[in-house]
DNA sequence: GAAGGATAATAAGGCTAACTTATTATTTGC
DNA sequence: GCAAATAATAAGTTAGCCTTATTATCCTTC
């Protein structure tokens, strides 16, 4: 039985959610004249929180490859939102920091995403939503661990 | 006041989760010699469940554009996993059905995704996981509704 | 019963985000 | 002091999504 794959199974749900959310965010960012892609926003958010980090550390923390980050940083740097400075402790390495020019943008992004979150969360009891985000975080962290383990084994 | 964007906020969590899950799935699919991308798998899953559907209905149900679906179906049809037949009731339309050749693949996909689900869910109490997937579904459906409403208003 | 607008599929083309592999400069460990 | 590891990046690929425009066919309304 069940030789049909359930399109409501976990994996599909997550990708569905991600795509729909991305569309919704695209629309609202456009409406808010906020010129920023998801990848860029994610980098900016992580970098802002980190203060000053090496690229490789940032990439690992974000769970993406160094090269992917490098490309995203190129765009942000061109727009003056991020600065690359040589790491005095290691001449191969560069330190990333967010510039003040990014402040306004960060604010806007925050407003838009808070708006979406409110619209979505409003449908549900507070406790449910809170539990939901806790689980999201836990599952993500579990996957990050699996990823790190896999790479360690492969090496 | 919080001029830094939280990388653990809802939107980022979802995209993180999606990307990490995709990576994990890619790896396991490769290991299982299962030649199938996520988009293709998703189409197959939805089509298999639907039985025989018009493309436009399938696209709407999946929450993607008609053109996106058309491209994915091209690949699946070339591999003989899916059939397009003219709809007798409307000569513009085509009916999609999954062929028997897809059975084995569907099985494999199901096994792999069940494996991932087990590995992830194993970390958490049953009730928590169950509640989690319920919320995932609810939030996705909410986004689908928002999307549909938005398109209706735009028209 | 024809005209005009909607709808189904798709061709064409663009973008983002991710990947891999290979290169260069540098550091570190032996 | 040399070999192996590491940091960033250049180059090139892929998937998945989008939009716009085209063609064929329906449907409605007068």
């Amino acid at each position: 039985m069940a030789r049909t794959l359930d399109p409501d199974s976990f994996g599909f749900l997550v990708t569905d959610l991600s795509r729909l959310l991305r569309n919704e965010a695209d629309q609202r960012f456009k409406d808010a004249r906020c010129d920023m892609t998801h990848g860029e926003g994610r980098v900016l958010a992580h970098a802002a929180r980190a203060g000053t980090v090496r690229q490789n550390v940032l990439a690992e923390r974000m769970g993406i490859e160094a090269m992917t980050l490098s490309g995203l940083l190129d765009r942000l740097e061109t727009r003056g939102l991020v600065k690359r400075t040589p790491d005095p402790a290691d001449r191969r390495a560069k330190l990333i920091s967010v510039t003040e020019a990014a402040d306004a943008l960060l604010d806007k992004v925050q407003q838009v995403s808070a708006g979406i979150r409110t619209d979505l969360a409003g449908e549900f009891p507070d406790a449910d939503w809170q539990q939901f985000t806790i689980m999201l975080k836990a599952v993500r962290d579990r996957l990050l661990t699996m990823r790190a383990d896999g790479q360690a084994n492969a090496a």
Side-chain angles (χ1 to χ4, degrees), chain A:
Chain A
M1 149 76 218
R3 63 153 269 275
T4 59
L5 204 49
D6 184 5
D8 278 355
S9 71
F10 178 67
F12 289 134
L13 278 177
V14 172
T15 37
D16 283 359
L17 199 53
S18 171
R19 184 173 28 79
L20 292 168
L21 203 55
R22 192 171 55 233
N23 283 353
E24 185 68 29
D26 272 348
Q27 193 53 55
R28 298 205 190 193
F29 278 143
K30 212 189 289 173
D31 291 348
R33 304 231 171 328
C34 180
D35 190 14
M36 169 85 64
T37 68
H38 312 85
E40 291 164 6
R42 218 158 60 86
V43 172
L44 219 48
H46 270 94
R49 146 161 294 191
T52 298
V53 239
R54 276 203 198 163
Q55 283 190 206
N56 63 329
V57 173
L58 192 55
E60 174 152 7
R61 209 173 280 172
M62 294 179 62
I64 62 180
E65 297 302 315
M67 192 54 224
T68 303
L69 179 60
S70 187
L72 289 166
L73 284 173
D74 283 351
R75 303 205 305 248
L76 291 172
E77 196 181 23
T78 303
R79 293 173 57 189
L81 302 174
V82 132
K83 224 175 25 187
R84 280 190 246 230
T85 40
D87 183 348
D90 186 338
R91 287 205 283 171
R92 291 166 305 178
K94 289 173 188 167
L95 296 173
I96 300 304
S97 53
V98 173
T99 69
E100 288 180 12
D103 283 5
L105 208 52
L106 276 168
D107 266 358
K108 255 198 207 169
V109 173
Q110 188 162 31
Q111 274 166 30
V112 169
S113 55
I116 295 176
R117 198 160 52 246
T118 305
D119 288 354
L120 282 178
E123 291 282 302
F124 307 97
D126 271 11
D128 285 4
W129 185 264
Q130 216 170 344
Q131 178 62 22
F132 181 47
T133 59
I134 289 173
M135 281 297 287
L136 278 174
K137 208 178 299 189
V139 175
R140 182 200 56 181
D141 292 344
R142 171 85 186 112
L143 276 165
L144 271 175
T145 309
M146 282 169 67
R147 177 191 166 97
D149 286 355
Q151 287 184 343
N153 288 344

PDB file of all heavy atoms in Angstrom, chain A residues 123-153:
ATOM      1  N   GLU A 123      -2.457  33.918  13.435  1.00  0.00           N
ATOM      2  CA  GLU A 123      -3.431  32.845  13.247  1.00  0.00           C
ATOM      3  C   GLU A 123      -3.441  31.847  14.401  1.00  0.00           C
ATOM      4  O   GLU A 123      -4.358  31.051  14.515  1.00  0.00           O
ATOM      5  CB  GLU A 123      -3.083  32.060  11.979  1.00  0.00           C
ATOM      6  CG  GLU A 123      -3.276  32.812  10.702  1.00  0.00           C
ATOM      7  CD  GLU A 123      -4.742  32.864  10.320  1.00  0.00           C
ATOM      8  OE1 GLU A 123      -5.343  31.783  10.177  1.00  0.00           O
ATOM      9  OE2 GLU A 123      -5.282  33.970  10.185  1.00  0.00           O
ATOM     10  N   PHE A 124      -2.372  31.868  15.185  1.00  0.00           N
ATOM     11  CA  PHE A 124      -2.194  30.769  16.129  1.00  0.00           C
ATOM     12  C   PHE A 124      -2.043  31.274  17.556  1.00  0.00           C
ATOM     13  O   PHE A 124      -1.608  32.404  17.781  1.00  0.00           O
ATOM     14  CB  PHE A 124      -0.952  29.962  15.744  1.00  0.00           C
ATOM     15  CG  PHE A 124      -0.965  29.506  14.325  1.00  0.00           C
ATOM     16  CD1 PHE A 124      -0.296  30.215  13.336  1.00  0.00           C
ATOM     17  CD2 PHE A 124      -1.679  28.371  13.963  1.00  0.00           C
ATOM     18  CE1 PHE A 124      -0.321  29.795  12.006  1.00  0.00           C
ATOM     19  CE2 PHE A 124      -1.710  27.945  12.635  1.00  0.00           C
ATOM     20  CZ  PHE A 124      -1.036  28.658  11.659  1.00  0.00           C
ATOM     21  N   PRO A 125      -2.380  30.420  18.508  1.00  0.00           N
ATOM     22  CA  PRO A 125      -2.140  30.765  19.914  1.00  0.00           C
ATOM     23  C   PRO A 125      -0.645  31.016  20.139  1.00  0.00           C
ATOM     24  O   PRO A 125       0.194  30.331  19.544  1.00  0.00           O
ATOM     25  CB  PRO A 125      -2.574  29.508  20.674  1.00  0.00           C
ATOM     26  CG  PRO A 125      -3.464  28.768  19.746  1.00  0.00           C
ATOM     27  CD  PRO A 125      -3.033  29.114  18.353  1.00  0.00           C
ATOM     28  N   ASP A 126      -0.353  31.984  20.976  1.00  0.00           N
ATOM     29  CA  ASP A 126       1.035  32.328  21.269  1.00  0.00           C
ATOM     30  C   ASP A 126       1.892  31.119  21.609  1.00  0.00           C
ATOM     31  O   ASP A 126       2.993  30.953  21.075  1.00  0.00           O
ATOM     32  CB  ASP A 126       1.097  33.300  22.454  1.00  0.00           C
ATOM     33  CG  ASP A 126       1.022  34.741  21.985  1.00  0.00           C
ATOM     34  OD1 ASP A 126       0.715  34.942  20.789  1.00  0.00           O
ATOM     35  OD2 ASP A 126       1.252  35.643  22.796  1.00  0.00           O
ATOM     36  N   ALA A 127       1.385  30.308  22.483  1.00  0.00           N
ATOM     37  CA  ALA A 127       2.176  29.172  22.969  1.00  0.00           C
ATOM     38  C   ALA A 127       2.539  28.247  21.812  1.00  0.00           C
ATOM     39  O   ALA A 127       3.672  27.764  21.715  1.00  0.00           O
ATOM     40  CB  ALA A 127       1.401  28.410  24.035  1.00  0.00           C
ATOM     41  N   ASP A 128       1.588  28.027  20.925  1.00  0.00           N
ATOM     42  CA  ASP A 128       1.835  27.144  19.783  1.00  0.00           C
ATOM     43  C   ASP A 128       2.946  27.700  18.904  1.00  0.00           C
ATOM     44  O   ASP A 128       3.855  26.982  18.482  1.00  0.00           O
ATOM     45  CB  ASP A 128       0.571  27.003  18.928  1.00  0.00           C
ATOM     46  CG  ASP A 128      -0.454  26.090  19.592  1.00  0.00           C
ATOM     47  OD1 ASP A 128      -0.193  25.643  20.729  1.00  0.00           O
ATOM     48  OD2 ASP A 128      -1.507  25.840  18.979  1.00  0.00           O
ATOM     49  N   TRP A 129       2.837  28.995  18.648  1.00  0.00           N
ATOM     50  CA  TRP A 129       3.830  29.606  17.767  1.00  0.00           C
ATOM     51  C   TRP A 129       5.229  29.544  18.391  1.00  0.00           C
ATOM     52  O   TRP A 129       6.209  29.252  17.724  1.00  0.00           O
ATOM     53  CB  TRP A 129       3.455  31.053  17.467  1.00  0.00           C
ATOM     54  CG  TRP A 129       4.380  31.677  16.483  1.00  0.00           C
ATOM     55  CD1 TRP A 129       5.459  32.452  16.749  1.00  0.00           C
ATOM     56  CD2 TRP A 129       4.337  31.538  15.053  1.00  0.00           C
ATOM     57  NE1 TRP A 129       6.087  32.819  15.588  1.00  0.00           N
ATOM     58  CE2 TRP A 129       5.419  32.271  14.529  1.00  0.00           C
ATOM     59  CE3 TRP A 129       3.482  30.864  14.171  1.00  0.00           C
ATOM     60  CZ2 TRP A 129       5.668  32.354  13.163  1.00  0.00           C
ATOM     61  CZ3 TRP A 129       3.732  30.948  12.813  1.00  0.00           C
ATOM     62  CH2 TRP A 129       4.810  31.684  12.321  1.00  0.00           C
ATOM     63  N   GLN A 130       5.247  29.811  19.678  1.00  0.00           N
ATOM     64  CA  GLN A 130       6.523  29.792  20.370  1.00  0.00           C
ATOM     65  C   GLN A 130       7.157  28.404  20.320  1.00  0.00           C
ATOM     66  O   GLN A 130       8.334  28.249  20.009  1.00  0.00           O
ATOM     67  CB  GLN A 130       6.293  30.208  21.812  1.00  0.00           C
ATOM     68  CG  GLN A 130       7.433  31.039  22.357  1.00  0.00           C
ATOM     69  CD  GLN A 130       7.068  31.645  23.698  1.00  0.00           C
ATOM     70  OE1 GLN A 130       5.888  31.679  24.061  1.00  0.00           O
ATOM     71  NE2 GLN A 130       8.052  32.108  24.425  1.00  0.00           N
ATOM     72  N   GLN A 131       6.339  27.416  20.590  1.00  0.00           N
ATOM     73  CA  GLN A 131       6.818  26.041  20.541  1.00  0.00           C
ATOM     74  C   GLN A 131       7.304  25.705  19.130  1.00  0.00           C
ATOM     75  O   GLN A 131       8.320  25.032  18.936  1.00  0.00           O
ATOM     76  CB  GLN A 131       5.670  25.103  20.954  1.00  0.00           C
ATOM     77  CG  GLN A 131       6.021  23.621  20.898  1.00  0.00           C
ATOM     78  CD  GLN A 131       7.155  23.260  21.851  1.00  0.00           C
ATOM     79  OE1 GLN A 131       7.419  23.965  22.805  1.00  0.00           O
ATOM     80  NE2 GLN A 131       7.835  22.162  21.561  1.00  0.00           N
ATOM     81  N   PHE A 132       6.586  26.232  18.169  1.00  0.00           N
ATOM     82  CA  PHE A 132       6.932  25.997  16.764  1.00  0.00           C
ATOM     83  C   PHE A 132       8.333  26.518  16.451  1.00  0.00           C
ATOM     84  O   PHE A 132       9.168  25.808  15.877  1.00  0.00           O
ATOM     85  CB  PHE A 132       5.886  26.677  15.879  1.00  0.00           C
ATOM     86  CG  PHE A 132       6.083  26.508  14.408  1.00  0.00           C
ATOM     87  CD1 PHE A 132       6.358  25.262  13.856  1.00  0.00           C
ATOM     88  CD2 PHE A 132       5.964  27.602  13.555  1.00  0.00           C
ATOM     89  CE1 PHE A 132       6.513  25.109  12.490  1.00  0.00           C
ATOM     90  CE2 PHE A 132       6.127  27.453  12.190  1.00  0.00           C
ATOM     91  CZ  PHE A 132       6.410  26.210  11.657  1.00  0.00           C
ATOM     92  N   THR A 133       8.612  27.753  16.844  1.00  0.00           N
ATOM     93  CA  THR A 133       9.930  28.306  16.525  1.00  0.00           C
ATOM     94  C   THR A 133      11.036  27.599  17.313  1.00  0.00           C
ATOM     95  O   THR A 133      12.149  27.431  16.817  1.00  0.00           O
ATOM     96  CB  THR A 133       9.992  29.822  16.793  1.00  0.00           C
ATOM     97  OG1 THR A 133       9.698  30.075  18.153  1.00  0.00           O
ATOM     98  CG2 THR A 133       8.994  30.559  15.926  1.00  0.00           C
ATOM     99  N   ILE A 134      10.707  27.161  18.504  1.00  0.00           N
ATOM    100  CA  ILE A 134      11.700  26.394  19.262  1.00  0.00           C
ATOM    101  C   ILE A 134      12.069  25.118  18.513  1.00  0.00           C
ATOM    102  O   ILE A 134      13.245  24.774  18.376  1.00  0.00           O
ATOM    103  CB  ILE A 134      11.153  26.057  20.675  1.00  0.00           C
ATOM    104  CG1 ILE A 134      11.090  27.331  21.521  1.00  0.00           C
ATOM    105  CG2 ILE A 134      12.019  25.008  21.346  1.00  0.00           C
ATOM    106  CD1 ILE A 134      10.410  27.148  22.863  1.00  0.00           C
ATOM    107  N   MET A 135      11.043  24.471  18.001  1.00  0.00           N
ATOM    108  CA  MET A 135      11.302  23.235  17.254  1.00  0.00           C
ATOM    109  C   MET A 135      12.087  23.523  15.975  1.00  0.00           C
ATOM    110  O   MET A 135      13.006  22.786  15.623  1.00  0.00           O
ATOM    111  CB  MET A 135       9.977  22.536  16.910  1.00  0.00           C
ATOM    112  CG  MET A 135       9.377  21.750  18.049  1.00  0.00           C
ATOM    113  SD  MET A 135      10.423  20.376  18.579  1.00  0.00           S
ATOM    114  CE  MET A 135      10.210  19.215  17.209  1.00  0.00           C
ATOM    115  N   LEU A 136      11.713  24.577  15.289  1.00  0.00           N
ATOM    116  CA  LEU A 136      12.444  24.952  14.073  1.00  0.00           C
ATOM    117  C   LEU A 136      13.933  25.077  14.369  1.00  0.00           C
ATOM    118  O   LEU A 136      14.783  24.542  13.657  1.00  0.00           O
ATOM    119  CB  LEU A 136      11.928  26.291  13.533  1.00  0.00           C
ATOM    120  CG  LEU A 136      10.665  26.281  12.686  1.00  0.00           C
ATOM    121  CD1 LEU A 136      10.238  27.707  12.371  1.00  0.00           C
ATOM    122  CD2 LEU A 136      10.871  25.498  11.402  1.00  0.00           C
ATOM    123  N   LYS A 137      14.213  25.780  15.444  1.00  0.00           N
ATOM    124  CA  LYS A 137      15.604  26.018  15.789  1.00  0.00           C
ATOM    125  C   LYS A 137      16.295  24.697  16.144  1.00  0.00           C
ATOM    126  O   LYS A 137      17.414  24.431  15.697  1.00  0.00           O
ATOM    127  CB  LYS A 137      15.677  26.998  16.970  1.00  0.00           C
ATOM    128  CG  LYS A 137      16.939  27.809  16.989  1.00  0.00           C
ATOM    129  CD  LYS A 137      16.952  28.805  18.146  1.00  0.00           C
ATOM    130  CE  LYS A 137      15.805  29.810  18.066  1.00  0.00           C
ATOM    131  NZ  LYS A 137      15.938  30.894  19.056  1.00  0.00           N
ATOM    132  N   ALA A 138      15.613  23.888  16.896  1.00  0.00           N
ATOM    133  CA  ALA A 138      16.204  22.626  17.338  1.00  0.00           C
ATOM    134  C   ALA A 138      16.500  21.726  16.144  1.00  0.00           C
ATOM    135  O   ALA A 138      17.576  21.118  16.054  1.00  0.00           O
ATOM    136  CB  ALA A 138      15.261  21.924  18.314  1.00  0.00           C
ATOM    137  N   VAL A 139      15.552  21.664  15.218  1.00  0.00           N
ATOM    138  CA  VAL A 139      15.747  20.788  14.063  1.00  0.00           C
ATOM    139  C   VAL A 139      16.867  21.328  13.181  1.00  0.00           C
ATOM    140  O   VAL A 139      17.711  20.585  12.684  1.00  0.00           O
ATOM    141  CB  VAL A 139      14.438  20.646  13.261  1.00  0.00           C
ATOM    142  CG1 VAL A 139      14.670  19.846  11.999  1.00  0.00           C
ATOM    143  CG2 VAL A 139      13.365  19.983  14.108  1.00  0.00           C
ATOM    144  N   ARG A 140      16.886  22.643  13.019  1.00  0.00           N
ATOM    145  CA  ARG A 140      17.975  23.223  12.235  1.00  0.00           C
ATOM    146  C   ARG A 140      19.324  22.887  12.862  1.00  0.00           C
ATOM    147  O   ARG A 140      20.259  22.480  12.165  1.00  0.00           O
ATOM    148  CB  ARG A 140      17.825  24.736  12.138  1.00  0.00           C
ATOM    149  CG  ARG A 140      18.928  25.344  11.292  1.00  0.00           C
ATOM    150  CD  ARG A 140      19.101  26.805  11.565  1.00  0.00           C
ATOM    151  NE  ARG A 140      19.343  27.073  12.982  1.00  0.00           N
ATOM    152  CZ  ARG A 140      19.506  28.289  13.487  1.00  0.00           C
ATOM    153  NH1 ARG A 140      19.412  29.334  12.704  1.00  0.00           N
ATOM    154  NH2 ARG A 140      19.722  28.454  14.769  1.00  0.00           N
ATOM    155  N   ASP A 141      19.406  23.047  14.160  1.00  0.00           N
ATOM    156  CA  ASP A 141      20.676  22.787  14.812  1.00  0.00           C
ATOM    157  C   ASP A 141      21.079  21.319  14.686  1.00  0.00           C
ATOM    158  O   ASP A 141      22.251  20.997  14.508  1.00  0.00           O
ATOM    159  CB  ASP A 141      20.613  23.220  16.279  1.00  0.00           C
ATOM    160  CG  ASP A 141      20.509  24.742  16.398  1.00  0.00           C
ATOM    161  OD1 ASP A 141      20.796  25.428  15.400  1.00  0.00           O
ATOM    162  OD2 ASP A 141      20.134  25.240  17.474  1.00  0.00           O
ATOM    163  N   ARG A 142      20.075  20.485  14.748  1.00  0.00           N
ATOM    164  CA  ARG A 142      20.348  19.056  14.566  1.00  0.00           C
ATOM    165  C   ARG A 142      20.942  18.799  13.176  1.00  0.00           C
ATOM    166  O   ARG A 142      21.898  18.048  13.009  1.00  0.00           O
ATOM    167  CB  ARG A 142      19.049  18.277  14.744  1.00  0.00           C
ATOM    168  CG  ARG A 142      19.125  16.827  14.390  1.00  0.00           C
ATOM    169  CD  ARG A 142      19.642  15.988  15.541  1.00  0.00           C
ATOM    170  NE  ARG A 142      19.832  14.602  15.131  1.00  0.00           N
ATOM    171  CZ  ARG A 142      21.028  14.015  15.036  1.00  0.00           C
ATOM    172  NH1 ARG A 142      22.110  14.668  15.348  1.00  0.00           N
ATOM    173  NH2 ARG A 142      21.119  12.757  14.655  1.00  0.00           N
ATOM    174  N   LEU A 143      20.369  19.467  12.177  1.00  0.00           N
ATOM    175  CA  LEU A 143      20.869  19.296  10.809  1.00  0.00           C
ATOM    176  C   LEU A 143      22.270  19.877  10.663  1.00  0.00           C
ATOM    177  O   LEU A 143      23.118  19.304   9.963  1.00  0.00           O
ATOM    178  CB  LEU A 143      19.924  19.967   9.813  1.00  0.00           C
ATOM    179  CG  LEU A 143      18.724  19.117   9.393  1.00  0.00           C
ATOM    180  CD1 LEU A 143      17.676  19.972   8.708  1.00  0.00           C
ATOM    181  CD2 LEU A 143      19.162  17.994   8.458  1.00  0.00           C
ATOM    182  N   LEU A 144      22.505  20.989  11.328  1.00  0.00           N
ATOM    183  CA  LEU A 144      23.851  21.572  11.282  1.00  0.00           C
ATOM    184  C   LEU A 144      24.864  20.586  11.853  1.00  0.00           C
ATOM    185  O   LEU A 144      25.954  20.406  11.312  1.00  0.00           O
ATOM    186  CB  LEU A 144      23.886  22.882  12.076  1.00  0.00           C
ATOM    187  CG  LEU A 144      23.546  24.158  11.309  1.00  0.00           C
ATOM    188  CD1 LEU A 144      23.503  25.354  12.240  1.00  0.00           C
ATOM    189  CD2 LEU A 144      24.567  24.410  10.196  1.00  0.00           C
ATOM    190  N   THR A 145      24.488  19.964  12.935  1.00  0.00           N
ATOM    191  CA  THR A 145      25.372  18.972  13.549  1.00  0.00           C
ATOM    192  C   THR A 145      25.623  17.810  12.592  1.00  0.00           C
ATOM    193  O   THR A 145      26.768  17.385  12.393  1.00  0.00           O
ATOM    194  CB  THR A 145      24.739  18.428  14.835  1.00  0.00           C
ATOM    195  OG1 THR A 145      24.345  19.523  15.647  1.00  0.00           O
ATOM    196  CG2 THR A 145      25.724  17.558  15.579  1.00  0.00           C
ATOM    197  N   MET A 146      24.546  17.319  11.983  1.00  0.00           N
ATOM    198  CA  MET A 146      24.688  16.203  11.049  1.00  0.00           C
ATOM    199  C   MET A 146      25.627  16.597   9.909  1.00  0.00           C
ATOM    200  O   MET A 146      26.476  15.809   9.492  1.00  0.00           O
ATOM    201  CB  MET A 146      23.320  15.804  10.488  1.00  0.00           C
ATOM    202  CG  MET A 146      22.480  14.978  11.460  1.00  0.00           C
ATOM    203  SD  MET A 146      20.749  14.762  10.932  1.00  0.00           S
ATOM    204  CE  MET A 146      20.968  13.728   9.483  1.00  0.00           C
ATOM    205  N   ARG A 147      25.459  17.807   9.451  1.00  0.00           N
ATOM    206  CA  ARG A 147      26.304  18.287   8.355  1.00  0.00           C
ATOM    207  C   ARG A 147      27.773  18.324   8.770  1.00  0.00           C
ATOM    208  O   ARG A 147      28.643  17.826   8.052  1.00  0.00           O
ATOM    209  CB  ARG A 147      25.829  19.677   7.949  1.00  0.00           C
ATOM    210  CG  ARG A 147      26.644  20.347   6.874  1.00  0.00           C
ATOM    211  CD  ARG A 147      26.239  21.824   6.751  1.00  0.00           C
ATOM    212  NE  ARG A 147      27.201  22.574   5.976  1.00  0.00           N
ATOM    213  CZ  ARG A 147      27.080  22.854   4.681  1.00  0.00           C
ATOM    214  NH1 ARG A 147      26.017  22.438   4.034  1.00  0.00           N
ATOM    215  NH2 ARG A 147      27.994  23.538   4.032  1.00  0.00           N
ATOM    216  N   ALA A 148      28.001  18.886   9.943  1.00  0.00           N
ATOM    217  CA  ALA A 148      29.377  18.988  10.434  1.00  0.00           C
ATOM    218  C   ALA A 148      29.978  17.596  10.619  1.00  0.00           C
ATOM    219  O   ALA A 148      31.117  17.334  10.217  1.00  0.00           O
ATOM    220  CB  ALA A 148      29.412  19.764  11.740  1.00  0.00           C
ATOM    221  N   ASP A 149      29.211  16.695  11.190  1.00  0.00           N
ATOM    222  CA  ASP A 149      29.684  15.325  11.386  1.00  0.00           C
ATOM    223  C   ASP A 149      30.031  14.676  10.057  1.00  0.00           C
ATOM    224  O   ASP A 149      31.070  14.034   9.904  1.00  0.00           O
ATOM    225  CB  ASP A 149      28.605  14.483  12.083  1.00  0.00           C
ATOM    226  CG  ASP A 149      28.485  14.850  13.552  1.00  0.00           C
ATOM    227  OD1 ASP A 149      29.300  15.673  14.023  1.00  0.00           O
ATOM    228  OD2 ASP A 149      27.578  14.323  14.214  1.00  0.00           O
ATOM    229  N   GLY A 150      29.137  14.840   9.105  1.00  0.00           N
ATOM    230  CA  GLY A 150      29.354  14.248   7.790  1.00  0.00           C
ATOM    231  C   GLY A 150      30.651  14.735   7.172  1.00  0.00           C
ATOM    232  O   GLY A 150      31.427  13.947   6.633  1.00  0.00           O
ATOM    233  N   GLN A 151      30.891  16.036   7.284  1.00  0.00           N
ATOM    234  CA  GLN A 151      32.108  16.579   6.698  1.00  0.00           C
ATOM    235  C   GLN A 151      33.341  16.079   7.431  1.00  0.00           C
ATOM    236  O   GLN A 151      34.365  15.798   6.815  1.00  0.00           O
ATOM    237  CB  GLN A 151      32.055  18.111   6.697  1.00  0.00           C
ATOM    238  CG  GLN A 151      31.090  18.647   5.650  1.00  0.00           C
ATOM    239  CD  GLN A 151      31.096  20.156   5.565  1.00  0.00           C
ATOM    240  OE1 GLN A 151      31.570  20.833   6.467  1.00  0.00           O
ATOM    241  NE2 GLN A 151      30.560  20.682   4.478  1.00  0.00           N
ATOM    242  N   ALA A 152      33.226  15.954   8.729  1.00  0.00           N
ATOM    243  CA  ALA A 152      34.356  15.453   9.512  1.00  0.00           C
ATOM    244  C   ALA A 152      34.680  14.014   9.094  1.00  0.00           C
ATOM    245  O   ALA A 152      35.838  13.662   8.910  1.00  0.00           O
ATOM    246  CB  ALA A 152      34.023  15.515  11.002  1.00  0.00           C
ATOM    247  N   ASN A 153      33.642  13.206   8.901  1.00  0.00           N
ATOM    248  CA  ASN A 153      33.854  11.815   8.498  1.00  0.00           C
ATOM    249  C   ASN A 153      34.449  11.724   7.101  1.00  0.00           C
ATOM    250  O   ASN A 153      35.292  10.889   6.822  1.00  0.00           O
ATOM    251  CB  ASN A 153      32.535  11.042   8.533  1.00  0.00           C
ATOM    252  CG  ASN A 153      32.090  10.794   9.962  1.00  0.00           C
ATOM    253  OD1 ASN A 153      32.889  10.925  10.884  1.00  0.00           O
ATOM    254  ND2 ASN A 153      30.826  10.459  10.136  1.00  0.00           N
TER     255      ASN A 153
END
